[in-house]
Amino acid sequence: MSVETEEKDYTKHVEDIEIKAAYDNLIMLLEQESYEPFREEFLKLHEYEQGEFFSLLNDEDREKLYHLLSPKEVADFFDTLSISNEEMEEILTSMDARYAAQVLGAMQYDNAADIMNFLPKEVMMSFLALMKKEDREEIRILMNYEDDTAGGIMTTEFVSIDSEMTVHEAMVHLRKVAPDSETIYYLFVTDINNKLVGIISLRDLIIADEDEYIGDIMKERVISVNVADDQEQVAYMMRDYDFLAVPVLDYQEHLVGIITADDIMDVIQEEAEEDYYRLAGMSDEGSPLDDSSFTAAKKRLPWLIGLTLMGMITATMLSTFEETLEKVALLGAFIPIIGGMSGNAGTQSLAVAVRGLATGEIKRVSLLKLAIKDILTGMMTGFTCAVLLFIIITILFGQPVVGIIVSISLFVAMTFATLSGTFIPMGMSKFGIDPAVASGPFITTSNDIISLMIYFSLANALMSALL
Amino acid sequence: MSVETEEKDYTKHVEDIEIKAAYDNLIMLLEQESYEPFREEFLKLHEYEQGEFFSLLNDEDREKLYHLLSPKEVADFFDTLSISNEEMEEILTSMDARYAAQVLGAMQYDNAADIMNFLPKEVMMSFLALMKKEDREEIRILMNYEDDTAGGIMTTEFVSIDSEMTVHEAMVHLRKVAPDSETIYYLFVTDINNKLVGIISLRDLIIADEDEYIGDIMKERVISVNVADDQEQVAYMMRDYDFLAVPVLDYQEHLVGIITADDIMDVIQEEAEEDYYRLAGMSDEGSPLDDSSFTAAKKRLPWLIGLTLMGMITATMLSTFEETLEKVALLGAFIPIIGGMSGNAGTQSLAVAVRGLATGEIKRVSLLKLAIKDILTGMMTGFTCAVLLFIIITILFGQPVVGIIVSISLFVAMTFATLSGTFIPMGMSKFGIDPAVASGPFITTSNDIISLMIYFSLANALMSALL
């Protein structure tokens, strides 16, 4: 971590200089083998910083670290690491197997379950066998849920209380279970069958009289999600309702887990970034910056090959206009601008449509209204750019007929592109295809084909005027 | 709100059917003028749902609503509305001025400050004059901070306690101030000069003995931000550290406000979406779906006009190759594919670079390593697509020389584009220009120019072989 002092430093926050010095000091203690001082200083750091420090260490120093920390202490910062599953597998398999199993068992169960689901089967089975029984059971439950669903991101470490308890009894219970709960800020009230019957916030609990019954002061109407709900929907709901945590129920309304706001922050960013990368026609798995060039090439190739093929369709179509080009070669100079402008207009519409579909906002708008707006927007932008082009072409090249052909083609192409950029993704979504798959490159290429067809057909029609 | 039953419903959650029925019922009560039953049912809803219901009402029904609810009750759901500033202005100016001022004063201060900063000056001054003194003062303070900084998104409604207090005294104080605090889950310990000296979570407070002193159990090392810090940096920090709230300090380390996790969720999504829209070459102000076609055209035009002008540079450059095109018109058919493929390759690199710069991750990677990776990735993708193209062109058109020219140009162009898509934004960021401004369209157009120059120069050089 370097210390930056320029104003536009993207990673600076208040403690940077101190943290860097702290890390350097720790590395020194570790290599000098001053183990007690190392432990003392290390455990003063926030878990996120412990994780940052850990990423700076080489394998040898990491080995030393494992000998100095208990599995729980290691698990605490392992929970904060944002590394690929491959890297985590490497790390865990480099440790003593029992130690690794205990670290996994001491991590937050939802994180451990994600890792376990990734590990090769034999590795996973041995770790399961080597961890504590209660950890093994909880993690097994969570491993069964699909990634990207509520079940896949929930944790089972929540606080449930009885409606028959008094506030005083609830507080006593709370103090006991607090260390093991991911959040104590909402308490979930369940009946004897473990069905969710109410919820009470810690805020309301401490404001209440000690003798009141939970059942009398709890909120009975609880907003919850189902284990199978998509994580993106859960994220938007939590963001809309400003919840710190939301309960997860199974089909019989039993309370099986909770999802906390901090997990959701990650989901919100993940989902927005997913759309972002797709707009560029890339898969977003893993962390793109860390990819080897081979991996990066692999991710980008599917789209690029698809585009190459689509580009050949455009080329083949254009080759039928070879004669036209021979007669008026100047027409060729404007091919990129026609294709490019309609492509850009289409991508702009697409961007709005894909986000609108993802956040659910697009449902509130009537389709007819949307189409009319798009046509008008396309006509306005198309008209402006067309007039601009006509003026420039006439002045620069002294060829007003070419100017007219280019302008009219641009106008029609941009209007059409603006419309298609909205409705192609909507149509895809209606058929159950992920609209973000209809990403920028796909739409721009189809717009290319249509706009250039209009262009050359118009040129042929006005050929007499051109020669 | 329509009830959807298809599986791919983007807005469905557990309570949808009940909520729809609840809203219909409320509208009926409102129009029948059954005011007591209406209030009772309305206040049972979560504030977010109250906000949703409000958006369904026409102006006449909203008027009725204002007469049935206290300013505080209206403020509670106004805090949840995600509408444009223009819409909010319309709503507030349609109310009685005193009532509007009281609603603003009862809203969360950071939200009120944002709205006030948008209102026309006379309106803003009257509202300030008509609200309660303590609300006026708090809101005025927040209005002075720039949008998009910690100061601009913080709230002043936090709980501060003295290190000399016992746990018991702190709990008593907490119960008193809880109703007015945005969060009570962290308590901030300040000294006599209001400087931040420590922090204690509610969890730790309730686990502790009643007689312990706050000073003995609080955490002294507090991670904080400065009022002028960029909101995006605050968001990533909170996401990394999993904080529910973070204290905001001024330059003398006085505690002036806090930022809570729910506000940050909005920031995280905002920032990711900002980059998303910019990749498409659009400004992201407001909510794109609600824009009139005129507003939408206005937002998109700057980029489109810029692109038109850049496209003219390409066209002018291409026009110098008019002769070449006349001789071998088939060359024209491949113009879109050369320009398009290098544009896409560049956009893919750009997407990774912009996100890397925004999240600060790009700093950990050495520039040289990055350049080498990019060149290799570009060469691998370029080579694959080039070979593919050569094969197809030779088979389809029986013109291997054209095939070679197209393939070589593509290979060089894509290698170059992959590299430029990473380093142009990095260079812009070094000079303090927002890298997301170097958005997709800009890079694709510059790649167009370079790739087509290579293409036609190569064609000229091999002209004898072509004829």
Side-chain angles (χ1 to χ4, degrees):
Chain A
M1 268 191 50
S2 59
V3 174
E4 300 278 351
T5 51
E6 308 123 331
E7 275 179 36
K8 284 268 173 189
D9 176 24
Y10 280 83
T11 57
K12 172 180 168 194
H13 50 90
V14 179
E15 313 267 312
D16 244 10
I17 300 170
E18 294 178 28
I19 290 177
K20 184 187 184 325
Y23 292 169
D24 289 340
N25 185 42
L26 281 168
I27 289 185
M28 193 182 70
L29 290 172
L30 193 60
E31 302 197 331
Q32 284 175 353
E33 303 190 353
S34 309
Y35 294 145
E36 269 312 308
F38 173 84
R39 265 187 62 88
E40 202 186 315
E41 287 306 307
F42 182 78
L43 293 171
K44 276 188 192 166
L45 295 177
H46 187 281
E47 291 82 24
Y48 172 71
E49 293 158 348
Q50 294 174 354
E52 270 196 329
F53 174 73
F54 177 81
S55 346
L56 301 172
L57 298 177
N58 56 34
D59 289 338
E60 194 189 320
D61 285 336
R62 288 179 183 185
E63 278 286 327
K64 288 187 191 163
L65 194 71
Y66 302 145
H67 285 110
L68 297 178
L69 301 171
S70 70
K72 174 89 178 92
E73 287 164 344
V74 171
D76 279 345
F77 70 82
F78 265 32
D79 271 326
T80 74
L81 294 176
S82 45
I83 56 181
S84 65
N85 284 326
E86 287 87 353
E87 280 188 76
M88 187 51 113
E89 180 184 352
E90 257 191 70
I91 291 173
L92 290 171
T93 48
S94 75
M95 299 175 177
D96 169 71
R98 177 172 289 274
Y99 189 84
Q102 287 173 344
V103 166
L104 273 167
M107 282 175 74
Q108 283 173 13
Y109 292 143
D110 46 342
N111 295 337
D114 284 344
I115 297 165
M116 293 288 265
N117 267 331
F118 176 81
L119 296 172
K121 194 166 183 186
E122 345 55 84
V123 180
M124 182 266 280
M125 297 296 282
S126 353
F127 284 161
L128 271 183
L130 290 165
M131 51 172 79
K132 280 189 234 164
K133 179 166 179 238
E134 60 262 24
D135 296 329
R136 173 168 56 244
E137 286 175 1
E138 297 286 348
I139 291 176
R140 258 226 189 92
I141 292 174
L142 292 177
M143 279 172 68
N144 285 327
Y145 294 107
E146 273 187 60
D147 272 355
D148 291 3
T149 61
I153 58 175
M154 75 183 185
T155 178
T156 50
E157 290 151 303
F158 55 86
V159 180
S160 61
I161 54 178
D162 202 282
S163 54
E164 310 281 309
M165 283 183 176
T166 60
V167 167
H168 178 78
E169 289 167 343
M171 292 289 290
V172 166
H173 175 71
L174 188 59
R175 286 190 187 94
K176 215 173 37 165
V177 302
D180 297 321
S181 313
E182 190 159 329
T183 183
I184 59 163
Y185 298 134
Y186 293 148
L187 295 94
F188 301 92
V189 190
T190 50
D191 67 10
I192 203 155
N193 295 314
N194 202 30
K195 290 196 184 190
L196 185 64
V197 296
I199 186 173
I200 181 165
S201 71
L202 184 53
R203 180 199 288 248
D204 291 338
L205 193 68
I206 64 175
I207 294 179
D209 266 332
E210 290 214 323
D211 303 317
E212 293 199 71
Y213 284 102
I214 295 295
D216 295 331
I217 55 174
M218 70 186 185
K219 278 201 179 65
E220 287 180 359
R221 179 168 174 265
V222 188
I223 298 182
S224 59
V225 298
N226 184 281
V227 282
D229 284 347
D230 184 84
Q231 74 171 8
E232 191 167 6
Q233 299 325 305
V234 175
Y236 291 132
M237 189 182 93
M238 286 190 70
R239 181 207 55 185
D240 287 339
Y241 282 84
D242 280 350
F243 287 150
L244 289 178
V246 70
V248 184
L249 310 183
D250 65 13
Y251 286 97
Q252 295 166 324
E253 311 218 335
H254 297 126
L255 176 62
V256 291
I258 64 171
I259 298 172
T260 52
D262 49 290
D263 286 329
I264 279 309
M265 270 195 249
D266 296 328
V267 172
I268 287 183
Q269 183 168 326
E270 242 180 73
E271 293 288 341
E273 280 192 354
E274 214 174 77
D275 289 342
Y276 175 83
Y277 284 119
R278 280 174 169 166
L279 196 62
M282 287 175 72
S283 131
D284 66 298
E285 302 285 322
S287 51
L289 265 183
D290 294 319
D291 291 336
S292 69
S293 35
F294 185 68
T295 312
K298 250 190 1 179
K299 284 185 186 176
R300 303 180 189 199
L301 265 177
W303 268 117
L304 292 174
I305 291 180
L307 290 167
T308 307
L309 298 174
M310 294 201 75
M312 274 313 302
I313 299 176
T314 311
T316 310
M317 186 270 291
L318 279 182
S319 67
T320 66
F321 291 105
E322 219 178 314
E323 263 191 47
T324 318
L325 257 182
E326 255 174 19
K327 292 186 196 157
V328 190
L330 186 60
L331 286 172
F334 301 99
I335 292 176
I337 203 175
I338 301 266
M341 293 305 295
S342 61
N344 290 320
T347 302
Q348 289 178 336
S349 283
L350 175 69
V352 176
V354 167
R355 284 311 284 163
L357 280 163
T359 57
E361 288 192 47
I362 216 170
K363 284 190 171 291
R364 347 179 237 94
V365 190
S366 112
L367 285 180
L368 184 61
K369 236 178 139 186
L370 206 53
I372 294 177
K373 279 210 288 188
D374 266 346
I375 293 177
L376 288 175
T377 305
M379 285 171 71
M380 280 188 262
T381 49
F383 182 76
T384 314
C385 294
V387 166
L388 182 60
L389 256 191
F390 175 74
I391 295 174
I392 298 180
I393 293 176
T394 309
I395 294 179
L396 271 189
F397 296 96
Q399 299 242 25
V401 186
V402 173
I404 287 186
I405 293 174
V406 174
S407 307
I408 293 179
S409 305
L410 191 72
F411 174 72
V412 176
M414 282 179 73
T415 304
F416 175 80
T418 308
L419 198 59
S420 72
T422 299
F423 284 88
I424 287 184
M426 286 184 74
M428 289 203 160
S429 133
K430 273 261 178 277
F431 284 106
I433 310 175
D434 192 334
V437 159
S439 69
F442 179 82
I443 293 226
T444 63
T445 309
S446 17
N447 282 330
D448 260 6
I449 294 175
I450 302 210
S451 61
L452 291 171
M453 238 174 26
I454 295 173
Y455 181 56
F456 277 105
S457 308
L458 207 51
N460 275 342
L462 296 177
M463 188 49 77
S464 41
L466 279 167
L467 297 165
Chain B
M1 266 193 53
S2 58
V3 174
E4 301 277 349
T5 48
E6 307 123 334
E7 275 179 36
K8 284 270 175 185
D9 178 24
Y10 281 84
T11 59
K12 171 182 168 191
H13 50 89
V14 179
E15 314 267 309
D16 244 10
I17 300 170
E18 293 180 27
I19 291 177
K20 181 184 186 323
Y23 292 169
D24 289 338
N25 184 41
L26 280 168
I27 289 185
M28 193 182 69
L29 291 172
L30 194 59
E31 301 197 331
Q32 282 176 355
E33 305 192 351
S34 307
Y35 294 146
E36 270 312 308
F38 173 84
R39 267 188 60 87
E40 201 184 316
E41 288 306 308
F42 182 79
L43 293 171
K44 276 190 194 164
L45 296 176
H46 187 282
E47 291 83 21
Y48 171 72
E49 293 158 348
Q50 293 174 356
E52 268 196 330
F53 174 72
F54 177 81
S55 346
L56 300 173
L57 298 179
N58 57 35
D59 290 339
E60 194 189 320
D61 285 334
R62 287 180 183 186
E63 278 287 327
K64 289 185 190 165
L65 194 71
Y66 303 147
H67 286 109
L68 297 178
L69 300 171
S70 71
K72 174 87 178 95
E73 287 163 346
V74 172
D76 280 345
F77 70 82
F78 265 32
D79 271 326
T80 74
L81 295 176
S82 45
I83 56 179
S84 66
N85 283 325
E86 287 87 352
E87 280 188 75
M88 187 51 113
E89 180 184 352
E90 258 190 70
I91 290 174
L92 289 170
T93 47
S94 75
M95 297 175 177
D96 169 71
R98 177 172 289 272
Y99 189 84
Q102 289 174 342
V103 166
L104 274 167
M107 283 176 72
Q108 285 173 11
Y109 292 142
D110 45 342
N111 295 338
D114 283 343
I115 297 167
M116 294 288 264
N117 268 330
F118 175 81
L119 296 172
K121 195 166 183 189
E122 343 57 84
V123 180
M124 181 267 280
M125 297 297 282
S126 353
F127 284 161
L128 270 183
L130 290 166
M131 51 173 78
K132 281 189 231 162
K133 179 165 179 243
E134 60 262 23
D135 296 330
R136 173 167 56 244
E137 286 175 0
E138 298 285 347
I139 291 176
R140 258 225 189 93
I141 291 174
L142 292 177
M143 280 171 69
N144 286 326
Y145 294 107
E146 273 187 59
D147 272 353
D148 291 2
T149 61
I153 57 174
M154 74 184 185
T155 180
T156 50
E157 291 153 301
F158 54 86
V159 179
S160 59
I161 55 179
D162 202 282
S163 53
E164 310 281 308
M165 285 182 174
T166 60
V167 167
H168 178 78
E169 289 167 344
M171 291 289 290
V172 166
H173 175 70
L174 187 59
R175 286 190 187 93
K176 215 172 41 164
V177 302
D180 297 321
S181 313
E182 192 160 327
T183 181
I184 59 164
Y185 297 133
Y186 292 149
L187 294 94
F188 301 93
V189 189
T190 50
D191 68 8
I192 204 156
N193 296 314
N194 202 28
K195 291 196 182 190
L196 186 65
V197 296
I199 188 174
I200 181 166
S201 70
L202 183 54
R203 179 198 289 247
D204 291 339
L205 194 70
I206 64 175
I207 293 178
D209 265 333
E210 289 214 324
D211 302 319
E212 294 200 70
Y213 285 102
I214 294 294
D216 295 329
I217 54 174
M218 72 186 184
K219 278 203 178 68
E220 287 180 3
R221 178 167 174 265
V222 188
I223 298 182
S224 60
V225 298
N226 185 283
V227 281
D229 285 346
D230 185 85
Q231 73 170 11
E232 191 166 6
Q233 301 323 305
V234 175
Y236 291 132
M237 190 183 92
M238 287 190 69
R239 180 207 54 184
D240 288 339
Y241 283 83
D242 279 349
F243 287 151
L244 287 179
V246 69
V248 185
L249 309 183
D250 65 12
Y251 285 97
Q252 296 167 322
E253 312 218 334
H254 298 127
L255 176 61
V256 292
I258 64 171
I259 297 172
T260 51
D262 49 291
D263 286 328
I264 281 307
M265 269 195 250
D266 296 329
V267 172
I268 288 181
Q269 182 167 328
E270 243 180 74
E271 295 286 342
E273 281 192 352
E274 212 174 78
D275 289 343
Y276 175 83
Y277 285 119
R278 280 173 168 165
L279 196 62
M282 288 176 70
S283 131
D284 66 296
E285 303 284 324
S287 49
L289 264 184
D290 295 319
D291 291 336
S292 69
S293 36
F294 185 70
T295 312
K298 250 190 358 178
K299 282 183 186 176
R300 304 179 189 199
L301 265 176
W303 267 115
L304 292 173
I305 290 182
L307 290 166
T308 308
L309 298 175
M310 294 201 74
M312 275 312 303
I313 299 175
T314 312
T316 310
M317 185 271 292
L318 279 181
S319 67
T320 65
F321 291 103
E322 219 179 313
E323 264 192 47
T324 317
L325 256 182
E326 255 173 21
K327 292 183 195 160
V328 191
L330 186 60
L331 287 172
F334 301 99
I335 292 177
I337 204 176
I338 301 270
M341 293 305 295
S342 60
N344 290 321
T347 303
Q348 288 179 336
S349 283
L350 174 70
V352 176
V354 167
R355 283 312 284 163
L357 281 162
T359 57
E361 288 193 49
I362 216 169
K363 287 189 170 288
R364 345 181 239 93
V365 190
S366 113
L367 284 182
L368 183 62
K369 236 178 139 187
L370 206 54
I372 294 176
K373 278 209 287 187
D374 266 347
I375 292 176
L376 288 175
T377 305
M379 285 171 70
M380 281 187 262
T381 49
F383 182 75
T384 314
C385 295
V387 167
L388 182 60
L389 255 192
F390 174 74
I391 294 174
I392 298 180
I393 292 176
T394 307
I395 293 180
L396 271 190
F397 296 96
Q399 300 241 25
V401 186
V402 172
I404 287 186
I405 294 175
V406 174
S407 307
I408 293 179
S409 307
L410 192 72
F411 175 72
V412 176
M414 281 178 73
T415 304
F416 176 79
T418 307
L419 198 58
S420 72
T422 298
F423 283 89
I424 288 183
M426 286 185 75
M428 290 201 159
S429 133
K430 271 266 178 277
F431 284 106
I433 308 175
D434 190 335
V437 159
S439 67
F442 179 81
I443 294 224
T444 63
T445 308
S446 16
N447 282 332
D448 261 6
I449 293 175
I450 303 207
S451 61
L452 291 171
M453 232 168 35
I454 296 173
Y455 181 57
F456 278 106
S457 307
L458 207 50
N460 276 343
L462 296 176
M463 187 53 77
S464 41
L466 279 168
L467 298 166

